[in-house]
Amino acid sequence: MTRRGARSDGNGDAGPAPVLSARSVAKSFGATQAIREVDLDLRSGEVHALLGGNGAGKSTLVKILLGALQPTKGRLEIEGRPVVFRSVRHAISQGIFPIYQHLSQFPDLTVRENLAAFALGMSRGLLAAKAMPSDETMRGWLAGVGLSVSLDAPCRGLSVGEMQLLEIARAVAQEAKVLVLDEPTAALTHAESNVLLDTLGKLRARGTAILFISHKLDEVVAVADRLTVIRDGICAITGAPMKDISTRDIVLAMVGKDVAPITDIAPHGEDIVVAVRDLRLTEGAVPVEFEVARGEIVGLAGIVGSGADRIAEAIAGAVAPVSGGVWIDGVPIGSGRRKDAVASGVGFVPTDRHADGVFSILGVLHNTSAASHGRITRRGLLRKQREHRQAHDILERVGLFPFRLDFEAADFSGGNQQKLVIARNLLIDGLRLLVMSEPTRGVDVAARRAIHEAVLEASQAGVAVVVASSDIDELLSICHRVLIVQDQAVTGVFARGARRQEIINALAAA
Amino acid sequence: MKTLSGFLRRVPVSVLIALAFFVVCALFVPRFAGSGNLGNVARIAAILAIVSCGQAIVLILGGIEFSFGSSVALASVVTVMLLPATGPLPAFLAGVAVVVLVGVLNGALVAGVGLPAVVVTLGTLMIAHGFAASLAGGLPIDAAPSPLFRWPAVGEVLGIPVAVLIAAVALFCLWVLLAHMELGRRFYLVGANASAARLSGIGVRGTVFTGYVLAGLFAGVASVILTSRVGSGQPNLIPDLPFQTIAACAIGGIPLTGGRGSVIQVIAGVAIIAMLNNAVVLLNYPVAVQQLLIALVIVVSVVAQRFAAGIAFDVRILLKGSAR
């Protein structure tokens, strides 16, 4: 299973030395090793994919490559020469550019100002204004990454995909030798992802080395030339050419065991629990109407911008629609007030886990009980033993890992933070409807499986589930029924068993 | 390593700093450790401790409270003006009500209208000062001395100053509120991530509003002791009170970014400031040096805490790795 790929030792292989390489790099925090021994070569003109489960040591390695952490053993080399990065800024000055998952632009400034800010930031001295590039130069940078926006457009108005391209443009403008993209497509639509992947192809042709970190195997297969997989702090696959490797090999290397997607789900109940009636998010939109039976899992398939996530928010009572609403057992739930919706037994797992889901700086218990204070409060006082017991049970069910109730949410990987959000919703008193938007975005295969199992378990307990997702495989795997959402309206319905291609065609249809 | 991490997480660095400071003062400052002097320290600390309880609530909510600086002054003016007509008890209650009312106004503007806390509480700071100055006609108004009026400042119960007892009760109430009440839990959730709190079904506006009103209540209680101590209604009673309380919370390790803070941190911060003030007086340093030292201690302790947080973080990463 462990496949050693073409491992160049700087002098062994033909061809030029790698632009950036890590040689037997190890990193320990105190007595424990986050990375035990990792080798990685980035050659110019290649897209090198880096994969690993949450907690495998992937992000530690990336931080070392970017100069944010110092290795405890081993060394980095640039074009065969040993180098020590003192800081991220130092690494950038050597041509190693991070493209962050959480974008780092100045949202209130224009595209021009953002492009210039970076040029200024990297120059020194008071006369930095002289370094100000011309508009023409800047337009060239934008064109180079396939971004067509006005220089005067405020960044706030750009889509996530456009911001990411802008970030890449900034790096390219600084003559980046290496781009490090951590989960670049996590928040992108299919169309935007394709633009990004095209752009990476162009940069590769120009000789840039690209380190591409992603959980999405299909993208890795589509774009990467070589692949490194880390598990438990060592390389399970080291720089193997993609053509020699199957998707199954990759998954096996990542998790050490086979994690197959769920294929069988139990049938749902007969009686209708949830009725969505005349729901419109904007004036003049076609109203959304559908019903959800007891234990039924209904998918809202939509590419980003389709409004599937917004419909989910409205159903959950997180935003007020302009008309219509949701009835549970024939009783309307208050619109636009989550407090009322929670009281009616409506759970909600929001799209943006970081901004709207977890309380990063608070502990596991605070996170887990946030939507069910009523269960653990008597005369205004919290019953902490009961809280602990209740959280312990539900977190065991969703498979929190590591199982540490004394940690803060920020101490967990993304997948496990999502488990905290889901556990919180499963604890809602009298849960009747669970609404989720992109429940497994940016989550590794094992956590994804655990989250899907938790959803199925809830549905078998009679909870109606609505899942908005741009991940078609997810919807095919766990939904009884998939609704196609375009332009904030339902334009098609597929029963379980539909083929992937049918749904893609329906999403793409005008 | 597990116990070290647990220790670092449970005992705030500021407590260690406070203990170290106590030992240093006891060793090197003459007369510091005498029981008479420590009683003095406690008396000085009492008012700061009570108001800092309110400041801590607002900071945990992710806000900040400046209006204390003149709301307690307005309370003293109102109390002293009512005193001849009503007697001490109703006058004191009216003073408390005034400060609570300023809290209601703050809460309504921050939670209801959604304005930034800095702007709102600076505004109410000036409004309350304007009222106090116009009511008093610009000058302090002397209160007719009476035993009951002086009791909060000079009275003792079982040999313990009333002010210190009230501070102890205030700190205990804050502890119950933050560590054991559902309302306190909501303060943390809203301060840590208001959007996630809202989506979890928490009434964010109501929680924020309640926080500002409670902060006013703590400051109102402190205003009773203050008014009694100065024996007059003063429009410029204690203008730097908000800064002292913010300093106490910051030294204690409560970040201004919300979602964090505990009673033990309030106690540590207040203790450090009170000991420092007292030590400087005992050493006969001038007031200017006193302020300089306090400023220095704020900076050093905040830096020390940032450093310690880094260590704790490393230890946690290590645990995360070893948990597999």
Side-chain angles (χ1 to χ4, degrees):
Chain A
M1 176 206 74
T2 301
R3 194 191 290 233
R4 291 277 162 180
R7 183 180 157 184
S8 81
D9 289 312
N11 48 11
D13 274 7
V19 194
L20 175 66
S21 48
R23 301 244 168 270
S24 305
V25 161
K27 175 71 186 176
S28 49
F29 297 96
T32 301
Q33 294 192 302
I35 302 183
R36 285 185 276 182
E37 186 183 353
V38 170
D39 290 276
L40 183 77
D41 288 334
L42 291 175
R43 300 177 192 153
S44 68
E46 76 164 348
V47 176
H48 193 129
L50 175 64
L51 286 93
N54 298 132
K58 194 177 50 178
S59 42
T60 307
L61 175 63
V62 170
K63 281 181 184 155
I64 289 172
L65 293 173
L66 291 173
L69 284 177
Q70 300 296 324
T72 32
K73 264 192 255 160
R75 63 171 195 272
L76 301 183
E77 290 175 3
I78 287 187
E79 282 152 6
R81 294 184 313 277
V83 64
V84 175
F85 293 146
R86 293 184 300 270
S87 64
V88 176
R89 191 188 154 100
H90 182 215
I92 288 176
S93 73
Q94 301 295 307
I96 319 298
F97 280 70
I99 308 295
Y100 286 111
Q101 185 174 4
H102 298 289
L103 304 163
S104 60
Q105 274 99 12
F106 305 96
D108 290 318
L109 300 185
T110 62
V111 170
R112 175 190 292 108
E113 286 161 336
N114 269 287
L115 283 170
F118 206 69
L120 294 183
M122 292 311 294
S123 63
R124 284 163 196 271
L126 290 169
L127 296 175
K130 280 188 180 167
M132 184 82 176
S134 72
D135 282 7
E136 213 162 311
T137 317
M138 290 199 223
R139 285 199 196 95
W141 293 341
L142 295 182
V145 297
L147 180 58
S148 51
V149 293
S150 156
L151 285 175
D152 293 311
C155 268
R156 196 176 284 294
L158 300 188
S159 73
V160 182
E162 288 170 336
M163 284 204 227
Q164 197 140 39
L165 290 175
L166 176 58
E167 186 133 328
I168 294 173
R170 289 201 310 202
V172 171
Q174 303 299 311
E175 284 158 12
K177 287 183 206 155
V178 176
L179 294 182
V180 178
L181 292 95
D182 196 351
E183 291 286 339
T185 59
L188 301 190
T189 66
H190 274 293
E192 285 175 330
S193 298
N194 288 338
V195 172
L196 178 74
L197 299 184
D198 278 354
T199 302
L200 294 185
K202 278 187 221 155
L203 295 174
R204 160 172 55 194
R206 268 198 242 156
T208 312
I210 294 160
L211 185 64
F212 184 81
I213 298 138
S214 177
H215 286 307
K216 296 187 185 167
L217 292 185
D218 50 340
E219 287 175 4
V220 168
V221 171
V223 76
D225 303 303
R226 289 195 303 144
L227 170 79
T228 294
V229 176
I230 302 186
R231 190 177 78 240
D232 289 335
I234 55 168
C235 291
I237 297 178
T238 308
M242 282 306 297
K243 59 181 183 342
D244 299 347
I245 288 207
S246 76
T247 310
R248 191 154 175 280
D249 289 336
I250 301 174
V251 174
L252 272 174
M254 280 170 69
V255 300
K257 61 180 193 287
D258 237 333
V259 176
I262 289 164
T263 50
D264 286 328
I265 61 174
H268 58 79
E270 291 294 314
D271 44 332
I272 298 300
V273 177
V274 179
V276 179
R277 293 267 171 268
D278 187 36
L279 185 80
R280 288 182 301 154
L281 296 170
T282 48
E283 294 292 347
V286 180
V288 173
E289 302 213 338
F290 64 95
E291 292 171 338
V292 190
R294 172 185 305 278
E296 187 182 15
I297 305 176
V298 173
L300 299 178
I303 54 176
V304 179
S306 65
D309 50 346
R310 303 261 302 142
I311 291 173
E313 284 172 4
I315 293 172
V319 297
V322 297
S323 78
V326 178
W327 280 257
I328 292 186
D329 299 325
V331 182
I333 64 165
S335 67
R337 275 177 55 104
R338 274 295 293 157
K339 197 178 173 183
D340 299 341
V342 170
S344 315
V346 181
F348 181 46
V349 177
T351 316
D352 191 335
R353 170 172 67 237
H354 194 71
D356 307 319
V358 290
F359 303 92
S360 312
I361 61 170
L362 297 183
V364 167
L365 294 180
H366 284 55
N367 270 279
T368 310
S369 347
S372 54
H373 283 178
R375 292 181 129 172
I376 52 165
T377 307
R378 194 170 53 189
R379 290 195 219 101
L381 292 173
L382 294 171
R383 306 163 80 180
K384 298 226 172 155
Q385 281 188 335
R386 174 178 287 224
E387 177 183 32
H388 191 277
R389 207 179 326 127
Q390 159 181 308
H392 185 278
D393 292 351
I394 194 79
L395 292 171
E396 218 163 47
R397 258 172 59 200
V398 300
L400 182 71
F401 178 86
F403 195 74
R404 294 292 302 257
L405 304 196
D406 57 332
F407 274 15
E408 286 171 8
D411 297 340
F412 291 94
S413 64
N416 283 288
Q417 290 182 8
Q418 187 75 332
K419 289 179 193 169
L420 293 178
V421 179
I422 288 167
R424 178 196 305 158
N425 282 288
L426 294 178
L427 280 178
I428 289 174
D429 222 4
L431 182 67
R432 300 288 281 152
L433 166 64
L434 179 59
V435 182
M436 314 171 99
S437 184
E438 306 288 355
T440 59
R441 172 179 285 180
V443 156
D444 71 40
V445 270
R448 176 183 163 102
R449 169 84 194 212
I451 288 167
H452 285 169
E453 277 169 2
V455 174
L456 289 180
E457 201 180 313
S459 95
Q460 274 149 38
V463 176
V465 182
V466 172
V467 187
S469 179
S470 52
D471 182 340
I472 296 161
D473 297 317
E474 168 165 83
L475 298 177
L476 289 174
S477 167
I478 60 168
C479 292
H480 293 103
R481 193 156 47 114
V482 175
L483 310 183
I484 304 296
V485 177
Q486 289 171 310
D487 235 354
Q488 302 181 354
V490 175
T491 57
V493 184
F494 289 91
R496 186 167 179 82
R499 283 180 304 115
R500 192 170 195 277
Q501 196 55 42
E502 291 178 288
I503 292 185
I504 290 174
N505 291 345
L507 287 172
Chain B
M1 291 317 275
K2 215 173 203 171
T3 49
L4 174 63
S5 161
F7 183 72
L8 280 173
R9 300 192 99 194
R10 264 173 225 113
V11 179
V13 187
S14 54
V15 172
L16 306 179
I17 297 176
L19 290 175
F21 199 79
F22 177 80
V23 171
V24 169
C25 287
L27 289 177
F28 298 108
V29 180
R31 297 187 312 278
F32 178 83
S35 64
N37 184 60
L38 290 180
N40 259 336
V41 174
R43 228 184 296 256
I44 298 170
I47 288 170
L48 182 58
I50 300 166
V51 186
S52 294
C53 288
Q55 187 69 263
I57 293 174
V58 173
L59 290 179
I60 289 170
L61 277 167
I64 197 159
E65 170 55 290
F66 289 117
S67 65
F68 297 149
S70 56
S71 61
V72 294
L74 178 59
S76 80
V77 171
V78 169
T79 302
V80 171
M81 288 180 82
L82 288 176
L83 197 56
T86 64
L89 203 60
F92 279 138
L93 286 178
V96 175
V98 163
V99 186
V100 172
L101 215 64
V102 176
V104 168
L105 187 58
N106 287 333
L109 291 172
V110 174
V113 187
L115 300 173
V118 178
V119 179
V120 167
T121 59
L122 275 178
T124 50
L125 172 84
M126 294 187 223
I127 293 172
H129 182 259
F131 269 111
S134 12
L135 281 176
L139 290 170
I141 326 167
D142 284 333
S146 74
L148 188 55
F149 179 74
R150 295 289 288 157
W151 187 74
V154 302
E156 289 188 354
V157 174
L158 303 171
I160 303 169
V162 171
V164 174
L165 281 177
I166 295 176
V169 171
L171 289 165
F172 178 77
C173 290
L174 184 68
W175 174 71
V176 172
L177 174 67
L178 293 182
H180 290 283
M181 286 184 69
E182 194 266 340
L183 176 62
R185 174 64 65 86
R186 278 191 270 137
F187 290 156
Y188 289 104
L189 295 174
V190 169
N193 186 341
S195 171
R198 184 181 79 85
L199 293 178
S200 302
I202 285 167
V204 173
R205 289 178 174 199
T207 304
V208 172
F209 178 79
T210 313
Y212 280 89
V213 175
L214 282 178
L217 184 60
F218 278 108
V221 169
S223 81
V224 170
I225 304 170
L226 262 171
T227 307
S228 166
R229 175 177 296 171
V230 297
S232 58
Q234 299 197 6
N236 296 313
L237 183 55
I238 179 165
D240 63 346
L241 186 61
F243 304 104
Q244 284 186 30
T245 55
I246 293 168
C249 291
I251 291 174
I254 300 178
L256 302 190
T257 42
R260 290 186 200 266
S262 67
V263 173
I264 192 82
Q265 291 176 311
V266 173
I267 294 172
V270 169
I272 290 172
I273 290 188
M275 286 191 288
L276 189 64
N277 275 328
N278 179 257
V280 171
V281 171
L282 290 178
L283 292 168
N284 280 325
Y285 288 161
V287 176
V289 174
Q290 196 172 320
Q291 290 173 341
L292 196 67
L293 277 175
I294 292 178
L296 214 64
V297 167
I298 295 181
V299 174
V300 169
S301 63
V302 170
V303 169
Q305 284 163 26
R306 176 61 57 84
F307 183 69
I311 296 174
F313 181 71
D314 273 0
V315 173
R316 287 213 308 277
I317 287 194
L318 167 141
L319 281 173
K320 213 162 134 183
S322 65
R324 60 186 59 257

